């Protein structure tokens, strides 16, 4: 009886040409992509959404975080997870300094900011290359996180659908940072000041908010988040000066798709882009999936510049 | 400033400018006789890059649309030319016979795809070289400019276009040659005679000069005035009854066409094209030329592409870190000389800016000084604050 059922199930699968298990696998491992997208886009969502700054050097801050992790491991044999605060502090400090010297002076001129941050990204890449050479660096992932979690097993107990613990860690860290950021923005005094500055800079200034300090703190925090993303990514990719470039366009697409006002938009944007990429890649192939998703995002920007997941404001 | 009568602008014939351009053209024309083959081909390449920079200046410097996709149009024109030259390889030069380019054979194609086949005829290829980039630009322009997408979002869209197209061209290996692009193409020949390097150089020179003069003429006309007003205040010019979208689409398409021809000539010269020129990195390179040279000056981007290219040629023999210098230069220009290096040139020498700006305070030395002081003040404050904290801690001890 059971055999009969299994046989019909296999036959049905062969006939339809559609395999559920591999698709499920693909979608579940897509969660890892969602995590990375969320991590890389979160910092941008802060700097762009709150401050309105087009930061093309965002990828380079990810790279700086990865190099901090590499340095910490190289010098002190530190555990990957322990290097996260260091990556945050280092990139936030550099970001704060950049805001003080460059970004601040270009306020209200988005296209100039865009150019300046692109110049900054070239400089950061060049300096890192001078210090560490262009050689690829490797970072050790913590040993206790290897292996994968089995979600489904077939009749014989062989795992069919599974997800590696590291991917779970990535999405975990991403969600944790999202919650932390949400708390910071909506639960603390500094966050209230940040939002006040976003909504009406001049009025906030009149009410005695130190807008300069708030700007610097916001930018530094955004860069610090990029640094954490760099640490997490460093364990799955090699660390090299141009590595940040790979994440820049994708992070931008997530922020723009999700909408710039609300943090939840970033989560939704990362989820939609990551999972649709995984699903299309399953039916076609990876490059085509990327092209389709990017085209879809362009169309979305065309019709909803303020993003898919924000409530439209009345003019 | 030229007198602007109601609706009519009457440019006088610019004798001084014509003289300078004529002398410059002659100097460039005799250049190959003075320099070696390497310099000639480098200079021809840089002239084409200059034309590309001028084409971006049209959309960015004059209309205010910052695009990272100019390299895309350049490459599309380049691919059209590359297919033509590849398909016209002589039978003995092509390892696999005349019918099919080698990369298609490697990727298991049996016959020429129908959309590439027409490119083996010279007139069709020449038309495609202009029409494919221009048509692509028209579609994008029609799509974007009719909406309420604002400046920064357009820039992000161009980033996405560049990124998507690079992925696409790399993945379609059978049709585009993948990462390697189209290599080992035939040299360009007209009426059965192969064109020597010097001929290609002159072609590039004539093309770039034509682009320079044509864009100058265009931007001095009423049309240019409208473009500049779109950049200054889009809403006001719309209220006056101008259909800004169609102006934007026109200039966007035109600049893409120019970029396409530059790309086609580039392939004839360099004999290869690859997705490197599609990528965001090359697109930003063009943006950097225009930013450093000076937006809206035409001659600035032209000179910047030429000079930076030459400097790069020599710098790369000394150091690997040429990009770092470019980055610093870009930062300095954006922070302290927002109108580009052209604004430092004395006005008497600055021909093409005749009607762009009457008196710009940006070029004066006092402005630069103020900028520098502005820049240093926050750093001083930071230093003072940290010193204060240090002192407090010391007194506690």
């Amino acid at each position: 009886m059971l055999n009969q059922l299994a046989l019909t199930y296999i036959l049905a699968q062969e006939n339809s040409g559609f395999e559920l298990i591999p698709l499920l696998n693909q979608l579940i491992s897509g969660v890892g992509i969602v995590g990375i997208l969320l991590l890389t886009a979160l910092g941008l969502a802060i700097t762009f959404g709150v401050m309105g700054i087009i930061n093309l050097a965002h990828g380079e801050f990810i790279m700086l975080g990865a190099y901090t992790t590499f340095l910490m491991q190289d010098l002190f044999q530190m555990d990957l997870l322990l290097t996260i605060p260091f990556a945050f502090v280092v990139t936030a400090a550099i970001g704060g300094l950049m805001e003080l010297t460059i970004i601040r002076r270009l306020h209200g001129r988005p296209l100039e900011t865009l150019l300046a941050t692109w110049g900054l990204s070239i400089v950061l890449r060049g300096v890192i290359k001078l210090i560490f050479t262009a050689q690829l660096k490797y970072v050790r992932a913590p040993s206790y996180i290897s292996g994968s979690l089995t979600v489904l097993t077939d009749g014989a107990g062989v795992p069919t659908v599974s997800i590696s613990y590291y991917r779970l860690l990535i999405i975990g860290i991403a969600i944790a940072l999202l919650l932390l950021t949400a708390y910071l923005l909506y639960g603390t005094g500094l966050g209230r000041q940040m939002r006040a500055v976003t909504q009406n800079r001049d009025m906030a200034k009149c009410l005695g908010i130190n807008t300069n300090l708030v700007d610097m703190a916001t930018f530094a925090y955004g860069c610090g988040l990029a640094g954490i993303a760099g640490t997490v990514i460093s364990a799955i990719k090699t660390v090299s000066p141009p590595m940040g470039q790979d994440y820049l366009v994708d992070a931008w697409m997530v922020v723009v798709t999700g909408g710039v006002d609300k943090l939840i938009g970033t989560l939704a944007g990362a989820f939609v882009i990551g999972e649709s990429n995984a699903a299309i890649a399953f039916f076609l192939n990876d490059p085509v999936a990327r092209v389709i998703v990017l085209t879809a995002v362009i169309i979305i920007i065309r019709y909803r510049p303020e993003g898919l997941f924000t409530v439209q404001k009345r003019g | 400033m030229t007198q602007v009568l109601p609706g009519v602008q009457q440019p006088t014939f610019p004798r001084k400018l014509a003289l300078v351009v004529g002398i410059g053209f002659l100097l460039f024309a005799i250049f190959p006789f003075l320099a070696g083959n390497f310099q000639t081909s480098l200079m021809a390449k840089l002239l084409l890059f200059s034309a590309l920079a001028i084409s971006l200046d049209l959309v960015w410097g004059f209309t205010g649309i910052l695009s990272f996709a100019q390299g895309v149009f350049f490459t599309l024109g380049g691919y059209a030319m590359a297919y033509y030259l590849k398909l016209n390889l002589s039978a003995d030069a092509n390892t696999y016979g005349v019918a099919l380019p080698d990369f298609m054979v490697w990727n298991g194609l049996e016959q020429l795809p129908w959309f590439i086949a027409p490119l083996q005829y010279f007139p069709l290829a020449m038309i495609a070289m202009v029409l494919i980039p221009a048509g692509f630009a028209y579609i994008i322009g029609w799509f974007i400019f009719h909406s309420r997408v604002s400046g920064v979002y357009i820039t992000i869209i161009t980033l996405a276009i560049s990124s998507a197209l690079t992925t696409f061209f790399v993945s379609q290996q059978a049709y585009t040659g993948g990462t390697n692009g189209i290599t080992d193409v035939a040299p360009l020949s007209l009426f059965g005679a192969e064109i020597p390097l010097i001929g290609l150089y002159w072609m590039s020179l004539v093309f770039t000069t034509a682009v320079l003069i044509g864009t100058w003429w265009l931007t001095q006309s009423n049309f240019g005035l409208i473009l500049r007003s779109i950049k200054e205040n889009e809403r006001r010019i719309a209220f006056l009854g101008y259909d800004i979208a169609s102006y934007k689409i026109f200039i966007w398409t035109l600049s893409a066409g120019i970029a396409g021809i530059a790309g086609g000539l580039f392939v004839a010269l360099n004999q290869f094209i690859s997705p490197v020129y599609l990528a965001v990195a090359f697109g930003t390179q063009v943006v950097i030329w225009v930013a450093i040279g000076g937006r809206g000056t035409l001659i600035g981007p032209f000179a910047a592409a030429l000079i930076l290219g030459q400097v790069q040629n020599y710098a790369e023999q000394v150091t690997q870190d040429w990009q770092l210098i470019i980055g610093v230069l870009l930062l300095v220009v954006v922070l302290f000389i927002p109108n580009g290096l052209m604004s430092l040139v004395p006005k008497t020498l600055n021909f093409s800016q005749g009607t762009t700006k009457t008196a710009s305070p940006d070029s004066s030395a006092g402005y630069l000084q103020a900028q520098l002081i502005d820049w240093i003040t926050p750093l001083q404050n930071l230093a003072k604050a940290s010193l204060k904290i240090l002192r407090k801690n010391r007194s506690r001890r």
Side-chain angles (χ1 to χ4, degrees):
Chain A
M1 179 64 191
L2 213 65
N3 257 339
Q4 206 82 40
L5 262 178
L7 207 66
T8 41
Y9 174 66
I10 288 167
L11 270 177
Q13 256 193 356
E14 273 174 3
N15 287 342
S16 66
F18 175 79
E19 292 159 86
L20 191 70
I21 297 295
L23 177 65
L24 215 57
N25 239 331
Q26 179 87 1
L27 286 182
I28 288 212
S29 60
V31 168
I33 306 174
V34 173
I36 288 178
L37 284 177
L38 185 55
L39 268 177
T40 53
L42 202 53
L44 259 191
I46 295 294
T47 49
F48 185 58
V50 178
M51 293 174 76
I53 284 173
I54 318 293
N55 185 8
L56 288 189
H58 191 71
E60 274 55 45
F61 284 103
I62 296 175
M63 183 264 292
L64 284 176
Y67 268 98
T68 313
T69 299
F70 164 74
L71 212 60
M72 286 293 158
Q73 284 210 336
D74 202 41
L75 295 177
F76 309 114
Q77 271 73 47
M78 205 178 264
D79 189 89
L80 183 88
L81 293 182
L82 284 181
T83 65
I84 287 181
F86 291 96
F88 179 82
V89 169
V90 168
T91 46
I94 296 173
L97 197 65
M98 292 306 149
E99 205 278 336
L100 203 63
T101 51
I102 297 168
I103 314 279
R104 168 164 305 177
R105 300 170 33 80
L106 301 169
H107 215 301
R109 288 186 286 171
L111 288 185
E112 308 263 294
T113 323
L114 197 151
L115 270 186
T117 49
W118 183 260
L120 182 64
S121 88
I122 297 175
V123 171
L124 287 177
R125 247 179 287 158
V127 169
I128 289 294
K129 202 176 144 205
L130 272 183
I131 300 173
F132 294 96
T133 72
Q135 212 182 346
L136 301 178
K137 310 280 189 218
Y138 295 92
V139 166
R140 289 183 305 279
S143 52
Y144 49 81
I145 207 102
S146 60
S148 53
L149 176 77
T150 307
V151 183
L152 278 181
T153 48
D154 65 356
V158 181
T160 46
V161 177
S162 62
I163 178 167
S164 74
Y165 282 121
Y166 200 78
R167 281 173 198 263
L168 282 178
L169 176 76
I170 291 175
I171 188 87
I173 290 178
I175 300 275
L177 284 179
L178 185 75
L179 292 177
L180 182 72
T181 310
Y183 171 71
L184 200 71
L185 267 181
Y186 299 102
T188 64
L190 181 67
R192 204 173 304 126
Q193 292 191 356
M194 276 183 192
R195 281 182 293 138
V197 172
T198 325
Q199 283 171 11
N200 193 334
R201 179 170 295 272
D202 293 333
M203 190 60 85
K205 214 174 203 169
C206 285
L207 291 173
I209 292 174
N210 188 346
T211 48
N212 284 339
L213 194 69
V214 169
D215 275 345
M216 195 169 91
T218 315
F219 194 76
Y221 182 67
C223 292
L225 289 181
I228 297 179
T231 299
V232 174
I233 287 168
S234 67
I236 45 173
K237 295 266 165 69
T238 50
V239 180
S240 67
M243 69 180 279
Q245 293 294 300
D246 301 344
Y247 300 100
L248 182 70
V249 174
D250 289 345
W252 266 113
M253 294 309 126
V254 168
V255 172
V256 169
T257 315
V260 294
D261 290 359
K262 299 264 186 298
L263 279 178
I264 196 77
T266 312
L267 176 65
F271 189 79
V272 167
I273 289 189
E275 286 299 337
S276 55
N277 209 331
I280 299 170
F282 175 75
F283 290 110
L284 299 163
N285 56 43
D286 260 329
V288 174
R290 192 180 150 76
V291 172
I292 291 176
V293 168
L294 280 178
T295 314
V297 171
I298 292 172
I299 293 169
I300 288 170
I301 301 178
R302 160 71 166 76
Y303 289 104
R304 293 201 63 159
E306 53 297 268
L308 269 187
F309 303 98
T310 44
V311 185
Q312 288 206 351
K313 286 178 204 145
R314 276 175 213 155
Chain B
M1 186 154 177
T2 338
Q3 280 289 309
V4 184
L5 299 172
V8 190
Q9 192 181 5
Q10 291 173 325
T12 47
F13 183 74
R15 270 188 214 134
K16 214 162 140 197
L17 180 72
L19 193 72
V20 172
V21 169
I23 292 173
F25 183 79
L26 279 181
L27 282 179
F28 271 110
I30 59 169
F31 179 79
F33 298 112
L34 307 173
N37 262 355
F38 174 73
Q39 261 298 331
T40 309
S41 89
L42 177 69
M43 208 59 178
K45 191 174 112 183
L46 295 181
L47 279 172
L48 292 174
F49 283 168
S50 292
L52 183 62
I54 295 170
S55 77
L56 178 66
D57 197 19
L58 269 185
V59 288
W60 185 27
F62 285 91
T63 328
I65 309 160
L66 175 51
S67 155
F68 281 102
Q70 208 66 14
V72 167
F73 305 132
F74 180 83
T75 321
L76 286 179
Y79 266 95
M81 181 64 120
Y83 281 124
Y84 165 71
L85 293 176
K86 190 78 187 172
L87 293 172
N88 281 281
L89 268 182
S90 58
D92 52 321
N94 194 341
T95 342
Y96 299 96
V98 205
L100 216 56
D102 45 11
F103 63 85
M104 291 186 185
V105 176
W106 298 333
N107 286 292
L109 281 195
E110 304 270 296
Q111 63 182 47
L112 209 57
W114 57 268
F115 49 89
I116 292 174
L119 289 175
Q120 56 189 304
Y121 306 108
F122 183 73
L124 288 181
M126 291 305 103
I127 293 169
M129 187 173 85
V130 188
L131 274 197
I132 290 177
F136 185 60
Y138 181 81
I139 294 169
I140 295 171
W142 185 85
F143 184 70
I144 316 176
F145 295 132
H146 279 300
S147 72
R148 59 209 157 89
V149 180
S150 66
V152 169
Y153 283 93
I154 290 176
T155 308
I156 295 173
I157 287 181
T158 60
L159 271 180
I161 289 169
S162 176
S163 181
L165 231 69
T166 312
T167 315
F168 181 73
F169 268 64
V170 170
S171 71
Q172 297 301 313
Q173 217 172 48
Y175 302 105
T176 62
T179 330
N180 297 327
I182 301 177
T183 50
D184 298 324
V185 298
L188 181 66
S189 48
L190 280 179
F191 309 113
E194 198 176 293
I195 299 179
L197 176 62
I198 198 164
L200 286 170
Y201 173 85
W202 280 330
M203 276 166 76
S204 311
L205 179 61
V206 168
F207 168 67
T208 308
T209 315
V211 167
L212 195 55
I213 293 175
T215 48
W216 182 82
W217 172 80
L218 189 71
T219 51
Q220 292 302 306
S221 66
N222 279 324
F223 183 80
L225 211 60
I226 295 166
L227 289 186
R228 251 174 273 141
S229 12
I230 290 176
K231 182 189 168 196
E232 298 298 334
N233 194 335
E234 193 174 317
R235 203 170 280 178
R236 188 171 295 173
I237 197 82
F239 280 146
L240 290 176
Y242 290 97
D243 179 14
I244 8 173
S246 52
Y247 278 92
K248 281 182 175 174
I249 293 169
F250 175 80
I251 200 74
W252 174 260
T253 310
L254 180 76
S255 98
I258 295 172
I261 302 175
L265 284 171
F266 175 77
V267 169
L269 190 78
N270 251 31
Q271 309 221 318
F272 88 97
I273 189 87
S274 77
V276 168
Y277 297 98
L278 275 175
V280 178
F282 184 68
T284 44
Q285 193 84 40
V286 187
V287 172
I288 288 172
W289 293 329
V290 179
I292 289 180
R295 275 164 279 168
T297 59
L298 295 180
I299 196 85
F302 168 84
L306 218 61
I307 293 168
L308 286 179
Q310 283 289 357
V311 173
Q312 178 177 15
N313 172 36
Y314 290 107
E316 271 183 349
Q317 295 165 4
V318 186
T319 164
Q320 285 288 304
D321 300 298
W322 157 250
Q323 280 300 319
L324 180 60
I325 304 168
I326 280 282
V328 173
L329 190 60
L330 180 63
L331 268 180
V332 167
V333 166
V334 173
L335 285 177
F336 303 119
I337 324 166
N339 285 341
L341 293 179
M342 248 340 247
S343 64
L344 297 181
V345 177
K347 279 285 166 305
T348 41
L349 290 174
N350 202 346
F351 301 103
S352 63
Q353 243 190 346
T355 56
T356 334
K357 298 234 162 62
T358 40
S360 128
D362 300 0
S363 54
S364 61
Y367 177 77
L368 260 182
Q369 235 167 25
Q371 295 270 298
L372 273 172
I373 290 168
D374 255 21
W375 190 65
I376 292 168
T377 318
L379 282 182
Q380 274 178 335
N381 290 343
L382 187 73
K384 267 183 205 160
S386 39
L387 271 179
K388 225 183 234 171
I389 293 166
L390 276 178
R391 262 185 221 140
K392 262 185 196 167
N393 286 348
R394 207 177 282 164
S395 62
R396 265 180 212 158
R397 268 179 221 161

